Each structure stands twice: as C-alpha cells, then as structure tokens.
Amino acid sequence: MTRAEEFQGLRPLLFSIAYRLLGSVSEAEDAVQETWLRYAASATEPASAKAFLSATVSRIAIDVLRSARVRRESYVGPWFPEPLLADPYQDPQRSAELADSLSMAALLLLERLSPLERAVFVLREVFGFGFPEVAAAVGRSEAACRQLAVRARRHMDAGRPRFEADRSKREELAGRFLDAFRDGDVDRLTELLSADVRLIGDAGGKAPQWAERFTGAGNVTRALAALMPLFAKAGAQVRPHQVNGQPGAVFRDRDGKVLSTWALEVLDGRIQTIRTVNNPDKLGHLAPAPS
C-alpha cells in the first residue's frame, strides 16, 4: 500500500479528530491537508501510520486552536461550531457514542478546556488511543496526560449533555416539531417544547439575528412564530437533517443556498434546546441543493 492510499484510508479519522478539536470544518480540512504534506515529505517510515498521522493532525490542530481562542473572544454574539451534517468516520459499534461526542453541546463543553486537555480528551476518551500514543501526540509524558485526562473528564462529566436515550424517539419528535413549524401551527409547537427550552442563535454579526437567546416555552414560541413569515418571505425550504449527530434541519432559500441550520436537543419527550447557525461564514462549506 502506498503512502497516499494509507493516508486516504485514515483521512476520515483524521478529519474527525481535527473537527472535534477545532469546531471548524474549513480549519479541520486545512489541518488534514497539512498532515498529508508532512507525511509525504517525511523521509522515515513510521511504525504505525495511524499513530503518526493522528499525532501530527492533533499537534497542528492544537497550534491552530491556541490562536483561534483569541479570535473567538471578540466574536459577535454566541459562538457555535460550524455545523457538520455527516461525520466521515464510521464505527458501527460506537456510532451513537461518536454522534453524541459530535453534538453542539459536547463541542461547546470542549471549548472550555485548555488545548492540551481538549486534545487528550478527544484522543483518549472519544477515539480510544492509548496513553503512549496520546503522550506522543501532545508532547507530554504519560503521567502528565493521565492528569490532563482526569481533569478533562471531570469537567466534561459535570456538564455532560443529556439526550433522549432512544435515538428513534429523538428523530420522531424532531420531525413533528419541524412539521409544526413548517405548517405554522403554534399550538403544536408549544406542546413539543420543554418549559425551560432555550433558543440560541449564532449569526456572528453577519446575518439577521433571528434568535440570539430566548428561554422558556412562551418566549421561544413567540420567537419561532416571528420567524415563520421571514422564512416564508425568503421562500425557505425546511428539510430534516442530522446536524452534528443530533436531529436538526437545514433551511435553504429558493436557489438552494443554505440560510440556517438548526440542531435540536431532545430529552423526556420535549425539545430542550434549539441551536441555530446563521453566520454565512459558517455555512459556506454546505453545498447548494442540486437544481
């Protein structure tokens, strides 16, 4: 097997690691491309291509993350990761676990960790790398990585998002919610929302701020009702779609361009949180609908 073939086989894993570290599709793709350039230029043959490439993409992502955190401090309004509609890394035995680690809620928790804690947690807890491999990736001793893992796990466990255990129930409820929104049925919408539901939007100061932050069923229902005519005026088409491994929707205009993505968190038979991304800079990687 050539290096190029080996790299292509591992590319989905490398992207999935980089995206969870960076929360950006474009930056993750750049990190993966830089990883390939370094691999192709390396004169030595690693004992394990998977370990070498995973370590390389992690180190690149950590460097990018350190500079990105400064930029995010001046971000306008709430900051969410760029929406991902499909994780290229497939592991049928752990698909549900991987999907939950990809959720907006989980990625926002990761944002609170230091770059090193974040890398150790992702490599160890999400992708199951051994501590020798994690240590090589982040340039710390195994003992130090174990301490980083404990701190990261403690923080993640304390704020770990709770989701409806039955994924089919999540999808079914999300479908009913989107049908009610599409039909303009405010009463049905209200029935599907939890009492303390949150509606939070990321526009980055570059798009109409439809929903920066609303809390409570009444406030969220009124906000959604106000959005209905705006989407109708834009000729928006609402399509259910997985967003970051959770039930959600993609809104497109008449020409198929993505206007917004919604990620829905479901628990106890109700919609708990609606996270919308409207910033066009974060939607550019989503291809227009075919004509």
Side-chain angles (χ1 to χ4, degrees), residues 17-279:
I17 291 171
Y19 176 78
R20 283 169 172 83
L21 290 178
L22 296 168
S24 165
V25 172
S26 56
E27 289 178 346
E29 289 174 342
D30 288 345
V32 171
Q33 182 60 26
E34 177 62 23
T35 298
W36 161 246
L37 294 176
R38 295 188 187 184
Y39 188 40
S42 174
T44 60
E45 194 66 37
S48 167
K50 178 181 177 182
F52 175 83
L53 293 170
S54 299
T56 302
V57 80
S58 297
R59 287 194 292 268
I60 292 169
I62 288 169
D63 289 341
V64 174
L65 184 59
R66 284 171 172 150
S67 62
R69 290 168 76 92
V70 176
R71 296 196 306 272
R72 289 171 193 174
E73 288 175 1
S74 60
Y75 192 80
V76 177
W79 181 93
F80 291 157
E82 290 181 7
L84 188 66
L85 302 188
D87 186 357
Y89 180 65
Q90 300 295 323
D91 184 344
Q93 292 184 330
R94 299 180 59 238
S95 59
E97 182 182 349
L98 287 168
D100 286 350
S101 77
L102 192 67
S103 71
M104 288 278 184
L107 293 178
L108 289 171
L109 274 178
L110 283 172
E111 277 290 305
R112 302 177 188 175
L113 303 180
S114 72
L116 285 179
E117 288 173 338
R118 188 166 181 166
V120 168
F121 183 86
V122 168
L123 291 172
R124 175 65 181 170
E125 301 297 328
V126 178
F127 292 101
F129 283 84
F131 277 111
E133 296 164 306
V134 174
V138 303
R140 295 292 188 274
S141 68
E142 289 186 42
C145 287
R146 290 180 188 277
Q147 291 180 336
L148 288 166
V150 168
R151 289 204 301 267
R153 194 183 306 117
R154 185 184 301 124
H155 179 86
M156 295 296 290
D157 287 345
R160 188 176 299 279
R162 295 174 60 228
F163 301 123
E164 185 78 48
D166 188 327
R167 298 187 70 84
S168 64
K169 288 183 179 179
R170 297 187 213 176
E171 297 290 346
E172 188 272 336
L173 180 65
R176 286 195 286 136
F177 171 80
L178 293 171
D179 285 343
F181 181 84
R182 192 185 295 111
D183 296 341
D185 191 328
V186 175
D187 289 338
R188 265 200 300 157
L189 277 179
T190 304
E191 292 173 358
L192 298 172
L193 300 175
S194 70
D196 57 352
V197 62
R198 297 181 302 155
L199 171 61
I200 314 169
D202 174 350
K206 298 184 177 183
Q209 186 52 285
W210 294 320
E212 181 168 322
R213 196 180 300 273
F214 295 92
T215 302
N219 291 330
V220 170
T221 298
R222 285 188 288 273
L224 292 173
L227 289 178
M228 293 172 182
L230 297 178
F231 279 117
K233 185 178 180 180
Q237 298 294 312
V238 186
R239 293 288 182 269
H241 203 294
Q242 288 267 322
V243 178
N244 285 79
Q246 302 300 316
V250 177
F251 292 72
R252 299 180 184 271
D253 66 12
R254 295 181 181 88
D255 300 320
K257 179 183 177 182
V258 176
L259 297 171
S260 180
T261 63
W262 290 14
L264 309 176
E265 293 174 17
V266 177
L267 181 66
D268 298 331
R270 295 287 186 273
I271 304 291
Q272 300 287 326
T273 306
I274 306 165
R275 288 190 171 92
T276 75
V277 176
N278 311 318
N279 184 345

